[in-house]
């Protein structure tokens, strides 16, 4: 996935490494990507100690800290992009028989990482009563690849809709839309590019009914045509609804004029007994492909991206970034994503090695992240062995001598005046 030669070439291309000395791209890459799971190493000094230990070398503090540059952040960013591409290539999960006409199911969402207040101008927060800073990590995940498809960084006050750009890539794919991205123009662009969408409907949206497929008696359907959906749901008495509605929207102004458009979409409603209310969805997937309950269950798959964020934060500590240095912040975020990518690659490898299909579904992501984290340093040793890093007893002694020395030269020590 990340060959040594490829890492070396990328390091030179991004100008992270200009000439090879003590810092080796492959070793620093694996030390960060896998060492990030170890919470005891989650500082620049901690990563330096880990690198010295695993690379069998010693570094001055300045030579290590000076490596966290914009070029290094870009190097890690390119590694993330490469990892996503590699995940898409390998055999992943397969969609069910009902979804065989679609290429993938995509879920877009974002999570916020709180930063030091001094970074408020660089990463302004949203609706903060006091000076605050935060970075928004926008992620799109793929059901087929079992991992991220795109990852991007924004300031916290960036609107959700601006983190999602629809294009030809959406063709024959289903996008599960969060309410934060709800916009009729978005649905129109998805359909215009040959894609499909499923979204919950906003509370303030009450579209007009065009036709009714199921939910009420056929002889009563005609009287609800042209009326609001809210008027119909009152008559359903807990039954599922399948109908076609029209939603209006305005496109961008052209030559000073802004035109209104209408779009016909499928609306389905299922009654939730626990909450005692209807859950209403809109989609452009036809009923002969997925029925009302299928649409509701499919939208429930959005929970997978919440699990991914939980894995990133609880397993790989994405939200634990205690620094004011912007380049270190970016490096740590990209490193956390790299940890996830490597973890998902190994997760896929383990699942694909099994013959028993019933056992495969029992390898859940959250449990896997705990197992991966607890064994990650053993994996790091194996990978560095392939990088031809040799460790002997002298290596450990060198680490003790280098890292046991207090870097504060002029610090007064109470015991020094009594004991040699």
């Amino acid at each position: 996935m990340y060959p040594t030669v490829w890492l070396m070439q990328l390091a030179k291309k991004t100008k992270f490494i200009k000439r090879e000395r003590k810092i080796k791209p492959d070793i620093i890459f694996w030390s960060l990507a896998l060492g990030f799971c170890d919470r005891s190493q989650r500082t620049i000094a901690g990563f330096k100690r880990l690198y010295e230990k695993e690379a069998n070398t010693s570094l001055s503090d300045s030579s290590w800290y000076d490596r966290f540059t914009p070029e290094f952040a870009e190097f890690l960013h390119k590694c993330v992009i490469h990892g996503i591409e590699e995940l898409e290539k390998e055999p992943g999960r397969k969609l069910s028989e009902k979804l065989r006409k679609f290429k993938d199911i995509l879920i877009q969402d974002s999570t916020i990482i709180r930063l030091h207040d001094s970074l408020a101008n660089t990463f302004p927060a949203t609706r903060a009563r006091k000076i605050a800073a935060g970075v928004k990590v926008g992620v799109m995940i793929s059901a087929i690849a079992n991992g991220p498809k795109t990852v991007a960084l924004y300031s916290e006050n960036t609107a959700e809709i601006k983190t999602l750009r629809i294009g030809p890539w959406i063709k024959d794919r289903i996008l599960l839309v969060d309410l934060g991205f709800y916009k009729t123009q978005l649905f129109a662009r998805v359909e215009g590019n040959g894609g499909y969408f499923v979204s919950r409907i906003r509370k303030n949206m009450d579209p007009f009914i065009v036709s009714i497929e199921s939910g009420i008696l056929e002889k009563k359907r005609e009287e609800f045509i042209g009326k609001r959906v809210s008027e119909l749901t009152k008559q359903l008495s807990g039954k599922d609804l399948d109908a076609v509605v029209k939603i209006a929207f305005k496109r961008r102004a052209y030559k000073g004029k802004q035109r209104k458009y209408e779009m016909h979409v499928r609306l389905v409603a299922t009654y939730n007994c626990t909450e005692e209310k209807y859950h209403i969805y809109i989609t452009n997937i036809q009923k002969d492909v997925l029925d009302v309950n299928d649409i509701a269950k499919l939208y429930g798959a959005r929970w997978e991206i919440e699990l991914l964020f939980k894995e990133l934060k609880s397993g790989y500590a994405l939200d634990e970034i205690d620094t004011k240095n912007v380049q270190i912040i970016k490096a740590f975020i990209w490193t956390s994503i790299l940890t996830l990518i490597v973890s998902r690659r190994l997760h896929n490898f383990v699942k694909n090695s099994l013959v028993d299909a019933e056992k495969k579904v029992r390898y859940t992501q959250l449990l896997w992240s705990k197992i991966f984290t607890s064994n990650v340093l053993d994996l790091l040793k194996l990978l560095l062995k392939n990088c031809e890093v040799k460790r002997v007893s002298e290596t450990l002694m060198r680490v003790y001598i280098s890292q046991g020395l207090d870097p504060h030269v002029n610090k007064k020590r109470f015991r020094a005046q009594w004991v040699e």
Side-chain angles (χ1 to χ4, degrees):
M1 192 175 196
Y2 292 102
T4 297
V5 174
W6 184 87
L7 288 170
M8 179 60 73
Q9 291 174 345
L10 180 63
K12 291 180 178 178
K13 184 178 180 180
T14 57
K15 297 183 180 180
F16 162 51
I17 297 290
K18 295 181 180 178
R19 53 184 182 274
E20 190 174 351
R21 290 185 176 178
K22 288 188 176 181
I23 299 289
K24 301 189 180 296
D26 53 344
I27 301 177
I28 193 173
F29 172 83
W30 289 116
S31 296
L32 287 176
L34 298 181
F36 205 77
C37 294
D38 186 357
R39 292 176 184 271
S40 64
Q41 309 288 353
R42 198 66 53 70
T43 61
I44 297 297
F47 283 127
K48 175 178 175 287
R49 290 192 291 269
L50 179 64
Y51 182 87
E52 289 179 327
K53 177 182 176 182
E54 301 300 340
N56 188 18
T57 188
S58 59
L59 301 167
S60 66
D61 289 342
S62 61
S63 66
W64 177 256
Y65 288 108
D66 290 346
R67 291 294 175 178
F68 287 82
T69 61
E71 290 78 13
F72 182 48
E74 182 61 16
F75 168 76
L76 294 174
H77 184 197
K78 295 291 186 184
C79 289
V80 167
I81 295 172
H82 174 76
I84 290 173
E85 291 172 350
E86 290 298 306
L87 280 179
E88 290 181 338
K89 290 178 184 177
E90 67 178 22
R93 296 185 293 186
K94 294 181 179 179
L95 298 181
S96 65
E97 184 64 21
K98 285 186 177 182
L99 300 173
R100 65 184 183 276
K101 67 171 288 186
F102 306 107
K103 291 182 178 179
D104 203 351
I105 299 173
L106 305 173
I107 309 169
Q108 171 83 15
D109 209 343
S110 60
T111 187
I112 303 299
I113 303 172
R114 192 60 56 208
L115 303 177
H116 194 275
D117 294 347
S118 63
L119 297 172
N121 290 331
T122 306
F123 296 106
T126 304
R127 294 188 297 273
R129 294 183 179 179
K130 61 178 184 177
I131 296 175
V135 61
K136 177 177 289 186
V137 183
V139 180
M140 177 180 287
I141 65 171
S142 160
I144 294 293
N146 188 30
K149 185 177 178 65
T150 62
V151 184
L153 307 183
Y154 310 89
S155 59
E156 184 188 344
N157 66 353
T158 303
E160 293 279 36
I161 193 67
K162 292 184 179 180
T163 67
L164 178 59
R165 301 296 183 192
I166 301 299
W169 55 267
I170 196 67
K171 185 177 181 181
D172 297 329
R173 292 171 173 83
I174 301 174
L175 178 64
L176 303 184
V177 183
D178 180 70
L179 287 177
F181 298 87
Y182 190 100
K183 199 170 185 179
T184 308
Q185 291 94 324
L186 174 72
F187 304 142
R189 286 197 294 270
V190 170
E191 189 170 77
N193 282 279
Y196 299 85
F197 63 86
V198 179
S199 173
R200 288 281 291 272
I201 196 168
R202 278 183 174 174
K203 291 182 179 179
N204 62 346
M205 294 296 293
D206 196 8
F208 291 100
I209 298 170
V210 175
S211 64
I212 302 172
E213 301 298 326
S214 64
I216 61 172
L217 295 174
E218 191 171 350
K219 62 181 180 180
K220 289 187 176 182
R221 293 177 187 176
E222 194 66 31
E223 64 182 85
F224 289 101
I225 303 301
K227 293 185 178 181
R228 300 279 187 178
V229 170
S230 58
E231 296 181 51
L232 177 57
T233 53
K234 294 175 184 177
Q235 308 295 324
L236 291 177
S237 303
K239 294 181 180 178
D240 294 337
L241 172 67
D242 196 341
V244 175
V245 298
K246 61 180 178 181
I247 49 180
F249 65 98
K250 295 179 180 179
R251 294 196 183 273
R252 290 179 181 177
Y254 179 70
K255 292 184 178 180
K257 295 182 179 180
Q258 191 175 35
R259 295 184 179 181
K260 291 184 178 181
Y261 291 84
E262 286 185 352
M263 181 181 180
H264 287 198
V265 296
R266 182 185 175 198
L267 181 143
V268 301
T270 60
Y271 189 75
N272 187 294
C273 298
T274 305
E275 299 179 14
E276 297 183 345
K277 66 177 184 180
Y278 275 95
H279 287 180
I280 305 175
Y281 309 88
I282 57 173
T283 181
N284 61 339
I285 301 175
Q286 300 303 314
K287 67 174 184 177
D288 58 338
V289 178
L290 296 177
D291 62 26
V292 174
N293 290 318
D294 289 333
I295 294 294
K297 290 177 182 178
L298 177 61
Y299 190 81
R302 272 199 53 82
W303 182 246
E304 188 161 329
I305 198 166
E306 301 300 334
L307 294 177
L308 181 139
F309 288 140
K310 184 176 181 179
E311 182 180 350
L312 279 170
K313 290 186 174 183
S314 63
Y316 311 136
L318 175 64
D319 57 343
E320 295 181 15
I321 303 179
D322 187 17
T323 178
K324 301 177 185 178
N325 187 309
V326 173
Q327 302 311 323
I328 295 177
I329 290 170
K330 290 180 179 180
F332 276 17
I333 293 174
W334 293 130
T335 299
S336 180
I337 302 297
L338 283 170
T339 304
L340 174 72
I341 290 172
V342 174
S343 172
R344 289 296 173 93
R345 175 67 181 270
L346 192 56
H347 181 246
N348 289 343
F349 178 78
V350 171
K351 286 181 64 177
N352 292 333
S353 67
L354 299 174
V355 179
D356 190 344
E358 293 184 359
K359 284 186 176 180
K360 288 184 179 182
V361 298
R362 292 166 57 189
Y363 282 81
T364 60
Q365 276 85 12
L366 288 181
L367 175 60
W368 172 261
S369 67
K370 295 177 182 178
I371 302 303
F372 177 78
T373 301
S374 62
N375 294 281
V376 74
L377 293 183
D378 292 330
L379 176 60
L380 177 59
K381 288 179 175 63
L382 287 174
L383 288 169
L384 292 182
K385 188 176 181 180
N386 292 333
C387 296
E388 299 181 354
V389 176
K390 295 181 180 180
R391 299 180 64 189
V392 293
S393 58
E394 287 79 6
T395 303
L396 188 58
M397 189 63 182
R398 191 182 297 111
V399 169
Y400 287 153
I401 292 173
S402 172
Q403 298 181 5
L405 183 65
D406 190 337
H408 302 93
V409 179
N410 299 320
K411 181 179 179 180
K412 292 183 179 181
R413 298 168 180 83
F414 174 75
R415 292 184 179 182
Q417 57 183 315
W418 307 107
V419 183
E420 292 185 0

